[in-house]
Amino acid sequence: GLLLTGVPLPLWRVVKTIAQLFAKAPYHLHIGDCLAFLKALPSNSIDSIVTDPPGGGNFMGLPWDSDKGGREIWIKWLTKILVELLRVLKPGGHMIIWTCSRTSHWTRTALDDAGFEYVQTLIHIFATGKSHGRVVKSHARPEFNGFSTTVKTSCEEWVLVRKPLEGTVEANLEKWGVGALNVNACRVEGEPGQEPRMLGTIMHDGSDEVVHCFPEAPGQQAKLRADGAPMGNKVYGKMKHGNVAKLPRVDIDPLAARFFYCPKASKKDKNEGLADGEFNAHLTSKSVHLMCALVRLATPRKGIILDPFSGSSSTGKAAILEGFRFIGCDISADFIKISEKRLKHAWRHSGGGAG
C-alpha cells in the first residue's frame, strides 16, 4: 500500500477534489508509480509543476537512471507521464523541468509530443560539477593518455514550459489564476538605491570560479544618441539615431555577474529535519534556494505544486517554506520517509505544524 501524508487512499481511488489531500498538512506524499497516481488526480487541478525527472543518461548504473532500452523507448515512457501532467495542470499553468545535458533533446521531444508550449530555458551555472566521461589510458598511443570523452559539467538546464492558454493571458488568469510568471517575487537585489532586477535565464552559484568568468562591464545601457546620424548597423538596413532629445541611459551595474545566485545543496540543507546520524543520501538533491526561486516564479499565491519525481523533496521543502501546498510522488519508500521528515521540519520552520 501507500504511505500518504493526509487522507489515505486505496490504490487507486479517484481523487474527487484536490483539497482532500491536504486534510492534515499542506503537503501530501505518495509511494508508488507516478503514472498510476497521476491518473487518479482530477483534471485542471494543479497550479504548477517543478520536477527533476530521471535523465536516461546511464550515469549511475541504477535502474531509474537507465535509458530503458534506447531513445525511442525512453521518449515514449516520459511522454506518457507528461500527457498526464498536462491533463492535471490548469490551462496556462507552468512546468519547470530539469533536463540531463546529454539527453535534454529527448526531454524536449517528449514535451513537444505531449502538447506543452516551450517558453524558455533557465541555466544554473556552478563550479562544483564533475566530468562523467572516461579518461583515456592507452599503451599503444600514450600521446592520448589523459584525454577524456567529456568535459566537466558546469551547468544544469531547467526547461520552462506552459500548458496552452484558454484565450488571452488576461482571460486565462481571470478564470484559472495562472498563465503568467510571478517575476516580481523573484527579482534580484542590486546595489543600494537601485531597483531590483528581473530574474534572468542565467543563475549561478556565486563561486569565485564562476564570478570571475564574468567581466567587469557596463550593464549594456549605453547613452542614447539623438543627432540623427546613421547608426552603423548593417544587419537591419540603414537605420539612424532619432532626432528628438531623450533622457540618457546609465550604467545600471558594472558587474555582469549580478544575476540570481545560489550554491548547490549543502549537507545542512539536505539533512535538515533528520535525526542525528541520519543522512539524506539522494544523489541529485537540489538547493532549497534555487527551488524557492523556481516555485515562486511558476506558482500563484497559495497555489498547489506537483512533483511526480519528488526524490527527497527539495521542491516540496521550498514549496512549504514559500507558503504553497505540495504533492510529491516517488517510487522509493526510503526517500518518501526522508521527505516526510524534511517537509515536517520545513512546515514547523515556516510557522505551521507547531504541535
Side-chain angles (χ1 to χ4, degrees), residues 18 226 243:
I18 208 74
N243 54 17

Side-chain angles (χ1 to χ4, degrees), residues 4-45:
L4 300 174
T5 303
V7 180
L9 300 175
L11 188 62
W12 291 96
R13 191 180 77 192
V14 173
V15 179
K16 293 182 179 179
T17 63
I18 208 74
Q20 74 186 85
L21 300 180
F22 306 109
K24 296 182 179 180
Y27 56 89
H28 199 92
L29 297 171
H30 310 256
I31 300 171
D33 176 71
C34 68
L35 182 59
F37 174 69
L38 289 171
K39 291 179 181 294
L41 297 181
S43 299
N44 305 325
S45 60

Side-chain angles (χ1 to χ4, degrees), residues 230-239:
M231 292 177 63
N233 188 327
K234 298 180 180 179
V235 177
Y236 298 107
K238 296 180 179 179
M239 301 179 68

Side-chain angles (χ1 to χ4, degrees), residues 68-252:
K68 303 187 182 301
R71 178 184 183 278
E72 297 302 322
I73 297 173
W74 192 92
I75 289 174
K76 287 180 180 179
W77 164 78
L78 184 58
T79 300
K80 288 180 181 179
I81 296 170
L82 292 174
V83 166
E84 284 301 312
L85 291 175
L86 188 76
R87 180 186 64 81
V88 303
L89 192 61
K90 293 177 181 178
H94 288 88
M95 175 165 66
I96 304 179
I97 181 170
W98 175 91
T99 68
C100 171
S101 60
R102 184 182 294 177
T103 57
S104 63
H105 54 302
W106 294 8
T107 303
R108 292 168 187 269
T109 299
L111 287 166
D112 237 12
D113 292 348
F116 281 95
E117 296 177 344
Y118 173 78
V119 180
Q120 285 175 305
T121 299
L122 310 178
I123 306 294
H124 182 214
I125 305 172
F126 46 83
T128 55
K130 61 182 180 180
S131 171
H132 293 281
R134 188 170 66 85
V135 178
V136 174
K137 296 179 181 179
S138 173
H139 295 295
R141 299 292 300 273
E143 67 270 26
F144 294 122
N145 287 343
F147 280 40
S148 177
T149 56
T150 67
V151 297
K152 184 180 80 169
T153 299
S154 297
C155 70
E156 292 179 333
E157 294 183 18
W158 293 82
V159 180
L160 174 62
V161 294
R162 184 176 68 182
K163 182 172 178 175
L165 298 165
E166 288 188 357
T168 64
V169 172
E170 290 78 9
N172 200 95
L173 283 164
E174 290 170 9
K175 181 176 180 179
W176 295 105
V178 295
L181 300 169
N182 191 359
V183 295
N184 289 329
C186 303
R187 290 190 177 272
V188 182
E189 293 296 328
E191 298 297 324
Q194 292 182 350
E195 289 293 324
R197 289 179 293 281
M198 185 180 291
L199 180 72
T201 55
I202 295 177
M203 301 168 284
H204 66 86
D205 66 353
S207 63
D208 290 341
E209 296 93 327
V210 173
V211 171
H212 287 165
C213 292
F214 291 86
E216 292 279 346
Q220 310 301 319
Q221 299 284 326
K223 291 182 179 180
L224 289 171
R225 289 174 59 186
D227 55 8
M231 292 177 63
N233 188 327
K234 298 180 180 179
V235 177
Y236 298 107
K238 296 180 179 179
M239 301 179 68
K240 297 182 178 181
H241 296 291
N243 54 17
V244 178
K246 297 180 181 180
L247 293 174
R249 293 176 179 170
V250 296
D251 293 343
I252 60 171

Side-chain angles (χ1 to χ4, degrees), residues 309-323:
F309 301 98
S310 57
S312 60
S313 290
S314 296
T315 300
K317 179 180 177 180
I320 300 306
L321 291 174
E322 294 293 334

